[in-house]
Amino acid sequence: MASAPPTPPPHCSSVPSRPNATSNRSTHNHRHSSHHNNHNRHNHQNSRLRRQEQSRWNHNGYGSFANNSPLPYANATGSGSGAGVASASAVAAAVAAAAAGDNAPAAFSSALGMLGGRRSTLGLEFSGRRTTRFAARMRSGRLRYNNNKTKHSLIAEEVQQCLEKSGNDVASVDNVLLSYESKMYDPEDYIYLIRECGNKDLYLQVSKTYDFAMGRKHYNWFYKGKLTSTVISQLGKMKKIEHACRVFDVARSQGFGNTVYSYSSMINAYGHNGRFNDAVRLYRSMRPLGMEPNLITYNALIDAGAKGHVDFSIVAKFVDEMVANGIMPDRITYNSLLSVCVPGGAWEIARDLFAEMRNKGHEQDVYTYNTYLDVLCKGGQLDFARRIFADMSANNVFPNAVTYSILMDGYSKAGQSEEALALYDEMKRLDIPADKVSYNTLIAVYGRLGLFEDALFASEEMEICGYKKDIVTYNALLGGYGKHGMYDEVKRIFTEMKRKHIYPNTLTYSTLINVYTKGGMYMEAMEVYREFKENDLEVDVVFYSQLIDTLCKNGLVESAMVLLDVMTRNGITPNVVTYNSMIDAFGDVSALGFKTSFRANDDQTESSASMLIAASSQNQTGSDKEDRISKMFEQLAVEKAGHGKKDLRTKQDFSILWLLRKMHELEIKPNVVTFSAILNACSRCNSFEDASRLLDELRLFNDQVYGVAHGLLMGSRENTWLHAQAVFDDMKRMDNLTASAFYNALTDMLWNFGQKRGAQLVVLEGRNRNVWTGDWSIECLDLHLMSCGAACAMVHDWLLNIRSIVFEGSELPKLLSILTGWGKHSKVLGDGALKRKIEALLNGIGAPFKIAESNIGRFTSPGYLVAAWLKKSSTLNVLVLHDRITASEPTASGLVYSLQAP
């Protein structure tokens, strides 16, 4: 653990202390008594400020009212409730249009690239994450920054408190607004109320306040436009995008919505709801209507890219366009660009942005540091994150509770739970008041570890400190109990949260479906899904991708194909995570009982997948098709009970080729997880020819990765190894989990097709680069994080090293051990695939290792027995690995390949 930062001076933490109730009451009484005395002076100041602000807004493009007619609904924005998600061609058009602004100054454009060294030949898409689970947690209860600088009256604060106390009672909300109508003179008061209620997710209060304010007859178009811009932004933050679209459409039709600020607010609302394509379409419609996008517009668009998990290269084109139009980035721009880097953990790009931001004199606040730390943690750069964390206080930016929460979550996800808990202790030791985010993160850590007494104690302490358990708290508990198979507790927690009027969100339902599906509780999963549909929550790509991933990991590939079809029919385009799950599942067809044909021609390949989808939706029309997911779970429950036929599981020929070509058709860029899944599929093919044909599909996406994998598979190490080193260099950008998965997949493919020396070289390269962690010594070889092929290659190298020690005359330790893990994820405890593979290898080469009595995942042998075995003349031959296929020097006709005896 790095040294803790110095204790911040009093009141420096950005997390506010809990207010003192008595103090608040006395302050409020004083303010109320002085309100009437200051009323006339306040109104005079406000009218002067309004004139200044109205003038400023008009000069900045707000007053473009030459065309008061609404934008053509279908051709321009598609912003209304009927607007669907943009097609792939629309996305491509938006990106192409963004590229038109490539005339940005070179100095700025270059800073958006990777300046910290050699540019990756794999491109930004190579950086990838296994899941998008965090995407549904973007609003994880964190305090929103309140930049409310409007000149509202003091009476507005009193009204806001009354509105908050009204709850969801429509009559009470109406009564508050009516009773204070005569005291609320200034439109800024209503703007204040909309913002404050929106920040607290009080949807009813926001909606009612806006309608009431718009009914005030003396408000002109300027203030109606400002009220509208404010409410659109707040509705977007509250995920009420359809309501925001209706408000926007009405405002445009009446004239006061055709402004730069209204359009910027709508772009912002789309961004908060992950609808980047709609945000781009709306942005492109502005100039034809005589509205020039300003800094607020561009910042909203960039932020939409961050929230929509758009590739950084796409967002960077809009920044180039912005600079080309003479608008320079500010602190908010850079903070949003850093946020774009978070989903993929693109830490190298974030590092360059962070440095450039400092060089150009932009303030780096606690939000900047927190976002940068989030990128580093997502990118697996925990040591780097600790250095940046230590750098904060040196620059007079003091960590807050969110800072610690990010680091705690990063360490927890990396399996370093003790470090995560130590960070929490450090935060308390520094008297940084824990907020709701900190408690929720702590509860999630305890849940992952199965420490539920500690998790419940933390939730009780959280409530004692004045923070009520919210949806994030309950989602963490549901996920923790579900991970450990405690299904009764899952049901209890779900019932409790609803009883306390904490309404489940999309992540809640996807977590429950995930938990029940993994446990084979398909009827429960079906009921949860039906409840989800009844609550009319928005289904997004994250929800579908998680569900598809769960089905695939449980061998329910045909159900995943049905869901993929439902997803696309509902206008939601799958992303790379969706396809990664499918590819990985199709690669494991031998374990699922599928017959996989890689020799089928293109038409047969397309037909195979299409037949499955057609069969799944046969005789279904209208509302039946919308309920296909429920029917799918019902069918799975029937099959599990043994009362139904597995009608799709063995009747079709499936092909991974269809999925890969579909990705290419939709212009979905693969990432390193995609490449790992393809390599895993190759290693499971029945023949060398099938593996080679599948590997050829990599050419569609990345020539370099294909060249390395194909070259090593064909035995041309001398010609390939230099390129392989470049690929391995790119792996430094990955977190250890993602990098080790690639090394494991590549090694398995080589090992399974007899290229054992090549597999060993890849493993040694990964070991030298610290891809795997564990105990690697003469006494012990830890293999539990390695794949079967990688582990076998490592055993050979380890034994060869020990042999050299023996022949040098050194004495071996009394006991040698090989750790394989005890197969905690296996259907039969202690019967993991790695253990079986290593046992077969040791028996095959005659090594004197036996399963330890005290540890079913450990092989042990006395040192003297191993030494005696290694001294045998026949041992060296079984330990030295060779490639089945080797490539000789190139001739006029190409490389000459030779097949070695097995």
Side-chain angles (χ1 to χ4, degrees):
M1 177 73 72
S3 59
T7 305
H11 311 301
C12 274
S13 173
S14 67
V15 181
S17 301
R18 288 182 298 282
N20 181 289
T22 306
S23 173
N24 276 353
R25 283 195 297 270
S26 62
T27 301
H28 170 70
N29 290 337
H30 171 72
R31 287 176 173 176
H32 186 67
S33 64
S34 62
H35 172 69
H36 292 290
N37 296 331
N38 295 327
H39 184 68
N40 291 334
R41 176 168 53 85
H42 176 78
N43 278 346
H44 174 72
Q45 291 175 342
N46 271 0
S47 70
R48 177 174 54 83
L49 288 169
R50 283 199 303 270
R51 288 195 300 271
Q52 292 175 351
E53 185 174 8
Q54 185 166 342
S55 175
R56 177 176 60 81
W57 278 39
N58 285 337
H59 279 89
N60 281 283
Y62 193 94
S64 301
F65 295 100
N67 180 5
N68 287 338
S69 60
L71 198 64
Y73 196 90
N75 297 332
T77 67
S79 62
S81 58
V85 175
S87 64
S89 60
V91 178
V95 174
D102 281 343
N103 297 321
F108 184 82
S109 298
S110 65
L112 296 178
M114 301 188 55
L115 303 180
R118 179 181 60 83
R119 178 179 289 274
S120 168
T121 54
L122 300 183
L124 296 173
E125 68 273 12
F126 198 75
S127 178
R129 305 293 300 166
R130 260 173 209 285
T131 71
T132 56
R133 182 174 294 275
F134 63 90
R137 298 172 61 247
M138 293 302 290
R139 297 180 61 209
S140 305
R142 294 185 180 179
L143 295 173
R144 292 177 184 153
Y145 177 62
N146 180 14
N147 192 25
N148 196 348
K149 297 179 181 178
T150 57
K151 299 293 183 180
H152 61 275
S153 67
L154 296 179
I155 201 69
E157 297 179 16
E158 181 178 331
V159 177
Q160 191 271 326
Q161 293 176 14
C162 294
L163 286 173
E164 189 174 346
K165 293 176 182 177
S166 299
N168 288 321
D169 188 334
V170 176
S172 295
V173 173
D174 287 339
N175 184 55
V176 169
L177 293 171
L178 285 169
S179 62
Y180 282 94
E181 182 178 13
S182 61
K183 301 177 184 179
M184 298 271 284
Y185 305 100
D186 200 321
E188 295 292 353
D189 289 341
Y190 290 100
I191 290 171
Y192 168 81
L193 292 178
I194 291 170
R195 282 177 175 159
E196 287 299 306
C197 292
N199 288 340
K200 296 183 179 180
D201 283 327
L202 302 175
Y203 172 58
L204 175 64
Q205 284 81 344
V206 168
S207 178
K208 284 288 185 179
T209 301
Y210 174 71
D211 291 342
F212 189 85
M214 293 297 284
R216 302 292 293 262
K217 295 182 179 180
H218 63 281
Y219 290 168
N220 61 20
W221 55 262
F222 168 74
Y223 280 110
K224 286 187 176 181
K226 195 170 181 183
L227 282 162
T228 299
S229 298
T230 304
V231 80
I232 287 172
S233 294
Q234 295 302 323
L235 289 171
K237 290 177 184 178
M238 290 185 287
K239 307 298 182 183
K240 303 296 182 181
I241 187 61
E242 299 304 330
H243 191 172
C245 289
R246 291 195 299 272
V247 170
F248 184 56
D249 288 339
V250 170
R252 286 185 304 159
S253 67
Q254 295 184 11
F256 53 82
N258 294 328
T259 68
V260 171
Y261 291 95
S262 293
Y263 273 69
S264 299
S265 295
M266 194 66 226
I267 289 171
N268 179 269
Y270 279 137
H272 278 284
N273 289 268
R275 291 170 61 167
F276 178 71
N277 300 326
D278 290 325
V280 171
R281 269 207 310 276
L282 190 58
Y283 160 75
R284 291 295 177 204
S285 72
M286 292 176 67
R287 284 193 180 93
L289 292 172
M291 288 177 284
E292 189 67 27
N294 59 15
L295 180 60
I296 296 174
T297 313
Y298 282 109
N299 283 344
L301 187 61
I302 294 166
D303 190 58
K307 290 180 170 61
H309 309 140
V310 176
D311 189 87
F312 187 88
S313 60
I314 295 175
V315 177
K317 291 182 184 298
F318 289 104
V319 181
D320 291 343
E321 185 174 325
M322 164 183 164
V323 175
N325 289 321
I327 302 172
M328 298 308 295
D330 64 355
R331 177 180 56 84
I332 296 173
T333 314
Y334 278 101
N335 284 344
S336 294
L337 286 170
L338 286 171
S339 296
V340 176
C341 300
V342 171
W347 65 272
E348 287 179 312
I349 300 175
R351 178 194 61 196
D352 295 338
L353 285 168
F354 189 79
E356 180 180 290
M357 188 178 182
R358 178 172 294 177
N359 293 337
K360 293 196 173 184
H362 293 293
E363 178 191 1
Q364 293 176 316
D365 56 13
V366 69
Y367 180 85
T368 310
Y369 274 96
N370 286 348
T371 308
Y372 188 25
L373 288 171
D374 204 11
V375 178
L376 293 173
C377 290
K378 294 291 193 301
Q381 304 297 315
L382 293 177
D383 291 339
F384 193 4
R386 280 300 265 184
R387 292 200 298 272
I388 296 300
F389 175 63
D391 180 63
M392 291 179 70
S393 55
N395 289 286
N396 293 318
V397 180
F398 295 99
N400 59 19
V402 176
T403 315
Y404 279 94
S405 298
I406 289 169
L407 291 170
M408 287 168 59
D409 188 63
Y411 276 107
S412 175
K413 296 281 181 60
Q416 301 182 43
S417 298
E418 291 301 322
E419 286 285 344
L421 296 177
L423 280 163
Y424 180 73
D425 292 338
E426 178 182 303
M427 183 180 74
K428 295 189 73 175
R429 188 173 66 252
L430 293 173
D431 290 328
I432 296 177
D435 65 351
K436 187 180 289 187
V437 186
S438 310
Y439 281 114
N440 283 336
T441 304
L442 182 66
I443 291 166
V445 171
Y446 284 139
R448 292 189 194 104
L449 293 173
L451 303 174
F452 295 109
E453 287 187 8
D454 292 320
L456 293 175
F457 178 81
S459 67
E460 291 172 4
E461 181 182 310
M462 171 179 166
E463 292 193 312
I464 291 172
C465 290
Y467 301 112
K468 293 183 179 180
K469 287 188 284 190
D470 61 5
I471 187 61
V472 181
T473 318
Y474 281 102
N475 284 347
L477 290 171
L478 289 171
Y481 282 122
K483 179 181 179 181
H484 293 274
M486 302 173 69
Y487 302 114
D488 289 340
E489 287 300 306
V490 169
K491 293 178 180 179
R492 182 186 67 79
I493 291 293
F494 188 52
T495 301
E496 177 188 308
M497 66 180 286
K498 290 192 290 186
R499 187 178 68 249
K500 292 186 175 182
H501 303 291
I502 296 174
Y503 302 102
N505 60 12
T506 302
L507 179 59
T508 312
Y509 287 110
S510 64
T511 299
L512 287 170
I513 293 171
N514 182 27
V515 166
Y516 288 138
T517 304
K518 284 182 178 177
M521 304 169 68
Y522 302 120
M523 290 302 293
E524 287 83 354
M526 180 184 69
E527 291 302 322
V528 169
Y529 178 76
R530 285 179 175 171
E531 182 180 320
F532 169 75
K533 293 293 289 182
E534 288 171 1
N535 287 337
D536 199 28
L537 290 172
E538 185 177 353
V539 183
D540 56 12
V541 65
V542 177
F543 177 85
Y544 279 116
S545 296
Q546 288 177 0
L547 184 51
I548 286 173
D549 185 60
T550 300
L551 293 170
C552 288
K553 285 179 178 176
N554 286 275
L556 306 171
V557 182
E558 78 287 357
S559 298
M561 284 291 288
V562 171
L563 193 58
L564 184 67
D565 182 53
V566 171
M567 177 181 183
T568 53
R569 286 174 184 267
N570 287 339
I572 298 176
T573 304
N575 61 17
V576 64
V577 177
T578 318
Y579 279 101
N580 285 347
S581 299
M582 298 291 297
I583 292 168
D584 198 47
F586 271 83
D588 199 20
V589 289
S590 59
L592 300 174
F594 288 106
K595 178 184 176 184
T596 305
S597 173
F598 293 105
R599 293 188 177 88
N601 61 35
D602 292 348
D603 292 337
Q604 291 172 328
T605 299
E606 184 80 22
S607 173
S608 176
S610 300
M611 287 171 63
L612 171 61
I613 294 172
S616 70
S617 57
Q618 190 175 9
N619 299 325
Q620 292 182 343
T621 58
S623 60
D624 289 337
K625 286 191 175 182
E626 296 178 1
D627 201 31
R628 282 163 62 190
I629 298 177
S630 295
K631 293 181 183 297
M632 175 190 72
F633 281 121
E634 189 173 4
Q635 176 66 22
L636 291 172
V638 170
E639 289 179 10
K640 184 184 178 185
H643 302 308
K645 294 182 179 181
K646 299 180 181 180
D647 55 346
L648 296 174
R649 195 172 297 245
T650 57
K651 287 186 178 180
Q652 301 292 335
D653 286 347
F654 298 99
S655 177
I656 196 174
L657 302 179
W658 180 80
L659 289 169
L660 295 175
R661 289 167 188 174
K662 201 71 177 175
M663 281 184 71
H664 187 66
E665 175 187 325
L666 295 176
E667 298 181 348
I668 296 175
K669 292 184 177 181
N671 56 26
V672 66
V673 182
T674 318
F675 301 147
S676 298
I678 294 173
L679 294 174
N680 275 325
C682 290
S683 69
R684 295 166 185 149
C685 288
N686 294 325
S687 70
F688 186 86
E689 291 76 16
D690 284 350
S692 296
R693 181 150 188 261
L694 178 55
L695 196 59
D696 284 342
E697 295 301 312
L698 267 178
R699 282 183 172 175
L700 290 173
F701 304 117
N702 192 286
D703 285 339
Q704 187 180 17
V705 177
Y706 163 77
V708 169
H710 185 265
L712 293 175
L713 185 63
M714 300 305 294
S716 57
R717 288 198 311 273
E718 291 75 10
N719 299 306
T720 304
W721 197 247
L722 183 62
H723 298 290
Q725 291 285 339
V727 172
F728 298 147
D729 286 342
D730 278 296
M731 286 295 157
K732 293 178 181 178
R733 297 165 52 198
M734 309 296 149
D735 60 278
N736 277 357
L737 185 64
T738 305
S740 62
F742 181 81
Y743 278 91
N744 282 335
L746 179 58
T747 307
D748 273 358
M749 182 191 70
L750 297 173
W751 183 270
N752 290 345
F753 286 103
Q755 301 304 89
K756 297 187 175 181
R757 178 55 182 160
Q760 190 175 51
L761 289 175
V762 173
V763 168
L764 294 177
E765 188 70 27
R767 179 67 187 102
N768 292 336
R769 292 171 180 262
N770 298 315
V771 170
W772 297 281
T773 58
D775 187 5
W776 301 61
S777 62
I778 299 173
E779 294 88 353
C780 181
L781 177 64
D782 188 350
L783 304 172
H784 79 279
L785 294 177
M786 304 184 81
S787 63
C788 291
C792 288
M794 197 63 222
V795 167
H796 277 262
D797 186 77
W798 183 65
L799 291 172
L800 281 172
N801 283 331
I802 294 176
R803 181 179 182 276
S804 66
I805 293 172
V806 170
F807 276 87
E808 288 173 358
S810 300
E811 186 176 345
L812 295 182
K814 291 183 179 180
L815 189 70
L816 302 182
S817 301
I818 300 175
L819 298 178
T820 63
W822 43 278
K824 64 180 178 179
H825 298 298
S826 305
K827 292 182 179 180
V828 179
L829 193 64
D831 190 37
L834 180 58
K835 176 191 170 184
R836 285 184 270 112
K837 191 75 172 180
I838 296 302
E839 185 175 20
L841 172 68
L842 294 172
N843 291 336
I845 62 178
F849 286 85
K850 304 296 180 185
I851 298 175
E853 294 182 1
S854 59
N855 188 335
I856 57 178
R858 180 190 293 264
F859 294 89
T860 61
S861 176
Y864 73 90
L865 283 181
V866 175
W869 173 70
L870 289 171
K871 289 179 180 178
K872 292 181 179 180
S873 58
S874 60
T875 302
L876 182 61
N877 290 333
V878 298
L879 291 182
V880 176
L881 297 175
H882 302 280
D883 285 340
R884 181 170 176 264
I885 300 174
T886 59
S888 304
E889 292 297 320
T891 65
S893 59
L895 289 173
V896 177
Y897 295 94
S898 59
L899 185 65
Q900 306 295 324

